[in-house]
Amino acid sequence: MTFKSPVKLGILSFAHMHAYNYALAIRALENVELTGIWDPNAYRGTEAARQFQTHFFPKLEMLLKEVDGVIICAENARHKELVLASAEAGKHILCEKPIATTLDDADEMIQACEKNSVQLQIAFPMRYSPSVQALKKHVEAGDIGDLLGVSSTNHGQIPPGWFIDPDQAGGGALMDHTVHLVDLLRWIFKKEVVEVYAETGTLLHDIPVEDTGLLSLSFEDGGFATVDCSWSRPSSFPSWGDVMMRVYGTQGVIELDAFSQSLTSYNDDRQKAVQHYWGTDMDEAMIVDFASAIREGREVSITGLDGKKALEVALAAYRSTQEGKPVRV
Amino acid sequence: MNKEVLHIGVIGLGFMGQVHLENYAKMEGVQIQGVADLIEDKVDRLATQHRCQGFKSAEELIADRAINVVDICTPTPTHRDLALLAAQNRKHIICEKPIARQITEAQEMVQTAKEQGVKLLIGHVVRFFPEYIKLRELVLAGEIGTPGIVRTFRGGASPIPQASWYGNPEESGGLIVDMLIHDFDWLRWTFGEVEHVYARGLSLQPLKEGQDLALVILRFKSGLLAHVEGSWSYPSTFPFTTRVEIAGNKGLLHYDSQESAPLHIFREAIGEGIGIRAPESPLAKNPYFSELKYFIKCIQRHEFPIIGAQDAIEALRIALAALKSLETNQTVRVGDIQ
């Protein structure tokens, strides 16, 4: 099926702050339309609809009827119900990470989409970073030889609300940030993680979930990587965090700082330095790709299975923290 | 002993031995009395340069009555024997890190030095680097509140082309024992005792091309986490680099030696000369000078040093726990390393 008219997308829930980025991105695109917003929080939903000059749909089924695809930005534990409803309605889905909080939920979601012949993409925008893509090319070209190990970080600041509620989020910093790096490592090196060792702690904030995490991952062929997923940037920090990788190969090293394309601004009223990122908008690139997949009737670039694989590692990491030793994924 | 000039004999004339000699040469209150090394050429050259006696063997140097301080800058596995001999000859001992390759060796050194009434001072020089001193002061002053998680980096190109014994992990322990011991010591000095260790890396393997890499996760008794990274995998054009990041509940401290180097020189290579130069970070007081001067003062004044031999043993214990973790792919309790 080919489309001449714009691809129509709806956003389901603004619980995840990325929904605002996605809405902005869609508005800036010519052949993609933000047809409407549904949100169980009607106030939040109507405000967002006003902000992005689109319609708020009080009933989910009514929005689903109008669109070709949906972007799901609900709390982690609520991804499943919305994916199932959207799949049943025959709509393609871009779902925030992590895919779900349990592997059973992830499986149900993947199966529902298969059964209804709709695409399920998981939102890992880092794959759309040109610097990450360049790193992947260098690795594939053999510029640093064979992989020895990787030291990586995805630092952040402590997020608000449901992110620190274990029932809604499924965990803290580990659940929030590990999956981005696991997905990148799988994608760049084309290897699966077979074993995980993790240490976590609630060391920086007074919250019910972990805010620090150090993981060691073993790949199927012996390579290893560490991941730092901590919410360790204080509120006074000039940026929200980072995505960094140091890739050690037998013939060299590649150091990646995916958000270094920033300017520093000092402002006396704010009394704080701020980093302004001017690099490529990865969220926009991801929306373009998702919409293209719908338009061209092709498979999405990042599948539900990719989401499940990343979740498997995160859940194994939690098991490791309980057992105090490495665990098989 | 207070104002007495100390007569130093330096054993081992590799990179560290030469650094020590350069600093003693600038120091008041010390006289370079003699040098020893297995390589006769080196002995001759440095004895001439520093106008001192060249000894054919370490044993001869240690036995020399004019020498009252022995400075051991030889490969790690030789530290114990040389230190014991020096102590038995009633010489004070300055010894490069790591104190020894095994805990039992280190304990023998401490015991013998104590019995003979001589000082045993181990060269954990990072405690004298101003950036590491400042970082620790800020942490202790509460600059970032209660610290929660720390990341350190140390490394660059491999030292192996210049000193092949590093390539034998039995002897050197790879970079985990030889280099990361600096970070283990500083972290322990700043944040307290380490409970357990989990490590990934190459340090157990004979290092081809001299490459080594280690990523070590530490859990401190206080609950603090640390990620300690060490690399001998960069090409020779990469400057030796250190980094520290400490996150606490009220803030964050960030240090990067590349960001803080004040001097960068760019020029075309001429003939065999080097085009890219390592950035320079000059200081009026070089940390090796500060360390050795401090050690000399401790000897002259009979004082207890801030870096005691026991601290050196504890740093070694953490390093050996990391090696054991590499071997077993399990967490290793530091207290289990004897």
Side-chain angles (χ1 to χ4, degrees):
Chain A
M1 191 192 319
T2 53
F3 286 72
K4 293 203 182 89
S5 48
V7 171
K8 295 183 177 166
L9 299 178
I11 297 181
L12 308 187
S13 180
F14 272 66
H16 197 302
M17 64 289 266
H18 284 178
Y20 295 88
N21 299 2
Y22 301 147
L24 266 176
I26 296 169
R27 297 277 302 156
L29 294 170
E30 281 197 3
N31 45 15
V32 186
E33 176 190 288
L34 179 57
T35 305
I37 291 167
W38 170 84
D39 197 325
N41 180 329
Y43 174 73
R44 184 174 63 201
T46 46
E47 277 305 298
R50 191 203 320 280
Q51 182 180 346
F52 298 107
Q53 295 170 308
T54 185
H55 303 286
F56 175 71
F57 286 72
K59 283 189 178 317
L60 176 61
E61 318 82 73
M62 302 302 291
L63 174 56
L64 289 176
K65 270 200 210 138
E66 301 295 322
V67 298
D68 304 311
V70 296
I71 305 175
I72 295 173
C73 300
E75 301 84 341
N76 300 345
R78 305 185 75 167
H79 288 178
K80 182 178 89 165
E81 70 201 56
L82 294 174
V83 167
L84 261 44
S86 305
E88 293 289 318
K91 309 302 167 180
H92 301 291
I93 299 154
L94 171 59
C95 181
E96 257 296 335
K97 41 57 64 182
I99 180 174
T101 56
T102 70
L103 293 179
D104 285 344
D105 282 359
D107 282 331
E108 265 192 76
M109 292 155 76
I110 291 168
Q111 279 154 30
C113 292
E114 270 169 21
K115 191 181 102 180
N116 289 284
S117 303
V118 298
Q119 291 298 314
L120 172 60
Q121 173 163 349
I122 304 304
F124 286 129
M126 292 310 303
R127 288 207 194 186
Y128 299 90
S129 157
S131 346
V132 172
Q133 290 167 354
L135 183 153
K136 183 171 190 290
K137 286 208 180 72
H138 283 297
V139 166
E140 286 164 354
D143 288 345
I144 55 166
D146 298 320
L147 175 68
L148 290 173
V150 182
S151 168
S152 68
T153 72
N154 178 199
H155 290 134
Q157 293 171 315
I158 180 166
W162 64 265
F163 277 99
I164 59 173
D165 176 350
D167 292 329
Q168 297 194 70
L174 195 161
M175 181 61 81
D176 186 29
H177 280 177
T178 298
V179 291
H180 285 296
L181 287 168
V182 169
D183 180 66
L184 285 186
L185 291 166
R186 287 184 65 243
W187 182 55
I188 293 168
F189 299 103
K190 301 195 183 50
K191 298 178 212 274
E192 296 300 341
V193 177
V194 295
E195 190 178 81
V196 187
Y197 175 78
E199 294 262 8
T200 59
T202 307
L203 300 172
L204 300 169
H205 308 281
D206 186 13
I207 55 176
V209 293
E210 77 286 356
D211 53 24
T212 48
L214 292 176
L215 285 70
S216 160
L217 312 179
S218 297
F219 296 105
E220 51 200 333
D221 63 353
F224 54 86
T226 55
V227 170
D228 182 334
C229 56
S230 307
W231 291 331
S232 50
R233 307 302 91 174
S235 57
S236 50
F237 203 73
S239 76
W240 58 268
D242 57 56
V243 171
M244 305 218 287
M245 289 178 133
R246 241 183 317 271
V247 181
Y248 295 96
T250 52
Q251 285 166 37
V253 186
I254 302 180
E255 297 186 345
L256 167 75
D257 182 352
F259 288 93
S260 70
Q261 288 157 318
S262 305
L263 311 166
T264 311
S265 160
Y266 304 90
N267 177 292
D268 282 351
D269 292 335
R270 204 171 44 222
Q271 280 290 306
K272 182 180 126 148
V274 166
Q275 298 271 311
H276 291 280
Y277 175 69
W278 49 261
T280 299
D281 185 339
M282 301 165 213
D283 290 333
E284 185 181 279
M286 183 172 69
I287 302 288
V288 167
D289 186 42
F290 174 60
S292 302
I294 295 176
R295 184 176 298 110
E296 295 159 25
R298 61 165 169 86
E299 196 189 34
V300 287
S301 312
I302 310 171
T303 63
L305 182 60
D306 290 317
K308 182 185 169 187
K309 285 281 175 202
L311 178 64
E312 277 176 0
V313 174
L315 294 174
Y318 280 117
R319 283 202 311 277
S320 171
T321 62
Q322 277 145 22
E323 295 180 32
K325 56 187 170 75
V327 305
R328 305 295 292 177
V329 172
Chain B
M1 201 28 144
N2 222 329
K3 287 292 183 180
E4 189 185 316
V5 171
L6 294 177
H7 295 258
I8 316 243
V10 177
I11 307 173
L13 302 176
F15 177 73
M16 282 320 302
Q18 292 183 47
V19 167
H20 285 208
L21 283 166
E22 279 158 25
N23 284 289
Y24 288 132
K26 296 186 274 195
M27 212 177 283
E28 285 178 14
V30 309
Q31 170 145 330
I32 300 170
Q33 188 69 28
V35 291
D37 192 276
L38 294 175
I39 299 170
E40 224 177 287
D41 280 346
K42 278 191 182 167
V43 176
D44 291 339
R45 182 164 55 85
L46 286 152
T48 307
Q49 184 184 339
H50 290 283
R51 285 190 273 258
C52 66
Q53 194 173 349
F55 289 89
K56 287 198 176 57
S57 73
E59 290 74 13
E60 283 180 37
L61 182 153
I62 289 170
D64 190 87
R65 302 181 114 221
I67 286 174
N68 36 38
V69 179
V70 170
D71 185 346
I72 300 169
C73 296
T74 54
T76 309
T78 63
H79 288 182
R80 189 264 309 266
D81 287 350
L82 292 173
L84 257 44
L85 191 60
Q88 283 149 11
N89 280 269
R90 296 290 181 100
K91 315 293 188 187
H92 294 289
I93 303 152
I94 292 173
C95 180
E96 259 299 321
K97 43 50 67 183
I99 178 171
R101 183 63 179 81
Q102 303 296 345
I103 301 287
T104 46
E105 292 172 359
Q107 285 166 337
E108 278 183 70
M109 290 162 72
V110 170
Q111 184 61 24
T112 309
K114 193 168 151 203
E115 280 163 6
Q116 298 296 334
V118 296
K119 286 255 180 289
L120 174 61
L121 300 151
I122 310 300
H124 279 275
V125 70
V126 164
R127 292 200 186 198
F128 296 84
F129 272 71
E131 60 273 43
Y132 282 87
I133 292 172
K134 176 78 76 182
L135 277 165
R136 180 171 177 275
E137 276 173 6
L138 287 167
V139 169
L140 266 47
E143 175 86 355
I144 57 166
T146 307
I149 182 164
V150 185
R151 296 185 67 85
T152 66
F153 175 93
R154 184 173 298 274
S158 173
I160 286 170
Q162 294 81 34
S164 60
W165 70 276
Y166 284 114
N168 180 341
E170 281 295 304
E171 294 195 352
S172 67
L175 66 77
I176 282 182
V177 174
D178 190 75
M179 184 179 69
L180 290 183
I181 203 162
H182 283 302
D183 295 295
F184 297 142
D185 174 60
W186 184 82
L187 287 166
R188 183 179 162 268
W189 187 41
T190 306
F191 299 107
E193 300 301 334
V194 177
E195 214 282 313
H196 63 249
V197 176
Y198 180 80
R200 306 306 307 273
L202 309 175
S203 297
L204 284 177
Q205 306 157 17
L207 306 173
K208 16 172 210 181
E209 319 294 338
Q211 282 175 348
D212 195 359
L213 168 65
L215 306 174
V216 183
I217 295 173
L218 306 181
R219 172 78 75 175
F220 287 71
K221 288 201 201 283
S222 66
L224 181 103
L225 284 172
H227 182 276
V228 179
E229 182 169 343
S231 170
W232 285 345
S233 327
Y234 283 83
S236 57
T237 46
F238 183 86
F240 182 76
T241 298
T242 55
R243 302 181 176 114
V244 181
E245 183 190 272
I246 307 165
N249 64 3
K250 291 215 173 72
L252 183 148
L253 286 165
H254 168 86
Y255 165 74
D256 185 316
S257 65
Q258 288 187 15
E259 289 166 13
S260 65
L263 209 61
H264 298 260
I265 304 175
F266 307 99
R267 51 168 294 161
E268 298 290 350
I270 295 174
E272 295 288 308
I274 301 169
I276 298 167
R277 296 284 181 81
E280 294 176 25
S281 196
L283 290 167
K285 279 193 198 161
N286 120 35
Y288 291 95
F289 184 91
S290 302
E291 175 202 58
L292 295 172
K293 177 122 190 87
Y294 176 76
F295 285 169
I296 295 300
K297 263 211 288 205
C298 287
I299 294 171
Q300 285 170 333
R301 297 185 191 171
H302 302 283
E303 280 174 8
F304 284 107
I306 53 161
I307 167 68
Q310 195 57 43
D311 291 311
I313 291 178
E314 295 312 316
L316 179 64
R317 209 187 299 275
I318 298 169
L320 295 178
L323 277 188
K324 180 131 186 251
S325 178
L326 278 196
E327 208 184 319
T328 59
N329 189 31
Q330 294 296 325
T331 28
V332 175
R333 289 191 63 248
V334 174
D336 290 346
I337 300 293
Q338 295 302 325

